[in-house]
Amino acid sequence: ILSCNGKNSSEKIKLTLNVEKIELTAKNNELIRDYRPDKIGFKTKLIITNVSNGVFNFDMWTCSFHQFLTTNTLNAKIFGPVRCDQNVISEIKLKPNEKIEYDFMILKDNDKNLTNTEDLENVKIGLTEIHTDWNLEKSVIDQADEQKKKNKKKIYWSNSVDIK
């Protein structure tokens, strides 16, 4: 069954990716200059919306949330927050139509000879769905790492953006 927007109605969440088209470089951005001077960055906002009729639970790092995110191309990388005091895995519970937002940068190589520009025309961000059992004696971090390594994991994909 397809909804009117053409998406499979079994999808529980929708990922909306927004990217500012201003190139951030070592010349105009402190984080790029200090950590990745060989890259060009773009400010990015990822909005995760629960489109199901029930509560959607997933686990996410408070600071290193990019560890559960991926791109659909090797030519674009996620550059997450670098200044954070408490990084723990927490359980996110989104009620129907509730949203959560994450801000980060998408990076591409400054050297155009290293980048396949066709891959940069349709960049998507994927969220790996991780669930840990918060009541077990086993570490939540260990459980999340085990799940991330499994081959059969659910990844939800965003819309595509052009960063070439």
Side-chain angles (χ1 to χ4, degrees), residues 4 7 28 31 43 68 78 85 99 105 114 129 157:
C4 57
K7 284 205 158 241
N28 65 6
L31 291 176
K43 286 186 182 178
F68 294 157
I78 297 169
D85 293 336
K99 301 175 184 183
M105 278 192 249
L114 299 175
E129 184 179 357
W157 291 99

Side-chain angles (χ1 to χ4, degrees), residues 58-69 80-92 100-104 134 140-141 144:
F58 63 102
D59 295 346
M60 188 67 89
W61 286 98
T62 53
C63 297
S64 299
F65 56 82
H66 59 285
Q67 296 297 318
F68 294 157
L69 300 176
V82 292
R83 297 180 181 119
C84 179
D85 293 336
Q86 281 189 314
N87 192 27
V88 296
I89 290 181
S90 61
E91 185 177 31
I92 307 295
I100 189 167
E101 298 179 0
Y102 293 96
D103 295 310
F104 53 93
W134 292 82
V140 172
I141 295 170

Side-chain angles (χ1 to χ4, degrees), residues 6 22 29 53 77 79 118 154:
I22 300 166
N29 184 275
N53 293 326
K77 303 287 185 203
F79 183 54
E118 288 180 18
K154 175 69 176 164

Side-chain angles (χ1 to χ4, degrees), residues 139-156:
S139 159
V140 172
I141 295 170
D142 291 342
Q143 291 178 61
D145 286 343
E146 286 173 9
Q147 283 194 39
K148 193 171 179 212
K149 292 175 187 173
K150 287 183 181 176
N151 290 333
K152 294 180 181 180
K153 54 190 174 223
K154 175 69 176 164
I155 299 177
Y156 293 94

Side-chain angles (χ1 to χ4, degrees), residues 5 10 15 18 27 69 80 103 105 131 147 163:
N5 69 0
S10 68
L15 276 61
N18 299 306
K27 292 180 182 178
L69 300 176
D103 295 310
M105 278 192 249
H131 294 283
Q147 283 194 39
I163 63 165

